Amino acid sequence: MAHGSRNPEALRTVTALLDRVRALRPGLPVRLGHIELNRPVLTDTLAALRGEAVLVPLLLGRGYHIKQDIPDVAAAAPHLRILIATPLGPDPLLAEALHARLTEAGWSADTGRTAEAGRLADLSRFPEAGRTPETCRLPEAGRLAGIGRIAETDRLADVSRLPETGRTPETGRPTTAGRATQTGLRTQTSLRTQTGPPAQPRPRPPAPAPHTAGVVLAAAGSRDPDAALDTARAAALLGARLGGVPVLPGYASGSGPTVSEAVRILTALGHDRIAVASYFTAPGRFATECAEAAPGVVAAPLGAHPAVARLVLHRYEQALASAPLSHPAATVGV
């Protein structure tokens, strides 16, 4: 239950999403309601219904709307038996949709990911992050490798495979080309070592500078710590979906880093290819402001992606499983 948007694309996007929901479940009544700014208003939608309904919020996490507005609206409709579904996020289906939107915008993790794609450890060094390390950190798959240690690919291990270096792995002494023979208590160098200069180690070519990818998950934001936790979990799911690319939340409002601050944090940690994923159901003011802060690739909002439509029905079914209704109906609050 968001409050709608003055952006005309928002209503068109949500209407297209509900058309997908109807196509997935023919015969299931689906209605639309807004808290403000768009019609139909949710209270009017509920007033026109009779019997039973499931209220499925098109919201991406917990916060004031989930904890206060929805229960208030349900209480103001005593003529209905209403079940309230959980918000859409976080969920792997949203990570699927976010990944698809990034790909559509031109994102390719192959152009910016290293073998052990970075660790975002110790984000508490950045005061602008505005949250505790526990809520800022990304999962193990999304941390920066190589900070303060040598990467495995840079170690001079198993030099026995490099005979031109002229050393054995056991002792580091000259190999056959400069091998010494024992004669009593004396050590004599074989003639082969006197017929030419000693073998010189072949210089190692410099390792190419890795391109490290990073993503900012742009969200509306809230002062509710549960909302921040839900967004952090969504970022972790997206990072896993992207194969370990680190994903850091950035917010349009509330506490926590803005999108610009999140970009600076990723840049300071060595990322040079940063995209912005739009964690919004539909276009609107917040989505536009976050997109303007993107340094490069910016994805469109989730919109009417098929995975989002499947998730709406999944939340509906979860609500029914908790307390089945005698006559299935669905009211989708936006």
Side-chain angles (χ1 to χ4, degrees), residues 120-148:
L120 283 181
D122 197 17
L123 288 180
S124 59
R125 291 185 298 151
F126 300 92
E128 65 269 26
R131 50 185 83 251
T132 62
E134 288 72 21
T135 59
C136 279
R137 289 176 188 156
L138 297 184
E140 294 295 326
R143 297 187 174 178
L144 282 175
I147 294 182

Side-chain angles (χ1 to χ4, degrees), residues 44-160:
D44 292 344
T45 301
L46 295 180
L49 296 176
R50 294 293 180 270
E52 303 165 326
V54 177
L55 182 58
V56 181
L58 296 188
L59 298 175
L60 302 176
R62 294 167 291 175
Y64 184 83
H65 293 311
I66 293 292
K67 296 180 179 182
Q68 189 67 43
D69 284 341
I70 290 180
D72 288 349
V73 170
H79 64 288
L80 289 174
R81 182 187 173 207
I82 297 177
L83 296 180
I84 301 174
T86 58
L88 297 184
D91 193 271
L93 284 172
L94 292 181
E96 176 185 337
L98 288 166
H99 186 188
R101 294 295 187 232
L102 282 168
T103 302
E104 293 167 359
W107 163 260
S108 176
D110 291 337
T111 63
R113 181 153 50 87
T114 55
E116 191 184 353
R119 302 194 173 196
L120 283 181
D122 197 17
L123 288 180
S124 59
R125 291 185 298 151
F126 300 92
E128 65 269 26
R131 50 185 83 251
T132 62
E134 288 72 21
T135 59
C136 279
R137 289 176 188 156
L138 297 184
E140 294 295 326
R143 297 187 174 178
L144 282 175
I147 294 182
R149 60 186 178 87
I150 300 176
E152 292 295 332
T153 55
D154 291 332
R155 291 182 180 170
L156 295 178
D158 195 14
V159 290
S160 60

Side-chain angles (χ1 to χ4, degrees), residues 57-62 87-90 94 227 230-231 234 278-281 302:
L58 296 188
L59 298 175
L60 302 176
R62 294 167 291 175
L88 297 184
L94 292 181
D230 288 344
T231 304
S278 297
Y279 198 45
F280 299 97
T281 306
L302 294 161

